[in-house]
Amino acid sequence: MEHEIVWRDRKRVWCGLPWTFTKYELSREKLIIKTGFFTQNQDEVRLYRILDLSLKRSLMQRMFGLGTIQCHSVDKTMKNFEIKNIKNSEHVKNQLSDLIEEARRTNRVSSREFMTEQEDEDEEGGEV
């Protein structure tokens, strides 16, 4: 089933031009990151699995209207990742945050369930 894309952008170089091979797509259910030219990779994370977001904007990024959203999730393959050098980063972060909350409500997931899952993984790995 095809999901409606609510936001799409491309990672940009330091001066704000989209001259990279990293693309981002956001639907109401998941975030997809596509990278590469010769060898292409596609990673996706279900929104309800994202635990925390933060926005980082260096002086150079602010000068060119860019920012980087740092994401922390409980996804096995995409634990910590970044949505790098995107335009309207504050708006995108807020939109992503709202969609994450909506996905949690839709899937009846609470952050308490993630804490329990994380504690279980820590105990299995010997870390407490």
Side-chain angles (χ1 to χ4, degrees):
M1 181 174 153
E2 193 66 29
H3 298 284
E4 176 189 347
I5 303 299
V6 295
W7 173 78
R8 175 181 285 141
D9 201 358
R10 183 183 290 260
K11 177 181 167 187
R12 295 167 186 274
V13 294
W14 65 271
C15 63
L17 297 174
W19 291 343
T20 67
F21 297 105
T22 300
K23 298 176 184 177
Y24 305 107
E25 290 182 352
L26 176 64
S27 74
R28 294 194 173 281
E29 295 85 25
K30 59 188 172 182
L31 173 69
I32 299 171
I33 302 175
K34 300 175 182 178
T35 58
F37 179 70
F38 291 113
T39 301
Q40 295 182 336
N41 293 314
Q42 180 173 319
D43 291 310
E44 75 175 53
V45 61
R46 296 278 172 186
L47 295 183
Y48 70 86
R49 299 185 68 82
I50 297 175
L51 296 176
D52 190 40
L53 299 173
S54 59
L55 178 62
K56 182 174 78 173
R57 298 181 72 209
S58 68
L59 175 62
M60 192 66 98
Q61 284 177 316
R62 289 192 319 263
M63 287 172 51
F64 290 101
L66 305 174
T68 296
I69 301 171
Q70 298 174 321
C71 304
H72 304 281
S73 78
V74 294
D75 190 82
K76 298 267 188 225
T77 60
M78 292 182 62
K79 285 205 179 285
N80 300 317
F81 61 94
E82 295 181 325
I83 304 170
K84 298 180 183 178
N85 291 340
I86 57 167
K87 287 189 162 227
N88 304 313
S89 55
E90 189 170 352
H91 172 75
V92 173
K93 179 188 160 287
N94 291 335
Q95 182 181 24
L96 181 57
S97 181
D98 291 344
L99 289 171
I100 289 169
E101 289 303 316
E102 182 182 314
R104 285 183 184 160
R105 278 192 304 273
T106 300
N107 291 288
R108 298 181 183 167
V109 175
S110 71
S111 58
R112 198 170 355 152
E113 291 177 45
F114 289 126
M115 286 183 214
T116 303
E117 182 177 316
Q118 190 64 38
E119 289 170 0
D120 292 344
E121 287 177 5
D122 289 345
E123 289 174 9
E124 288 174 10
E127 301 171 17
V128 178

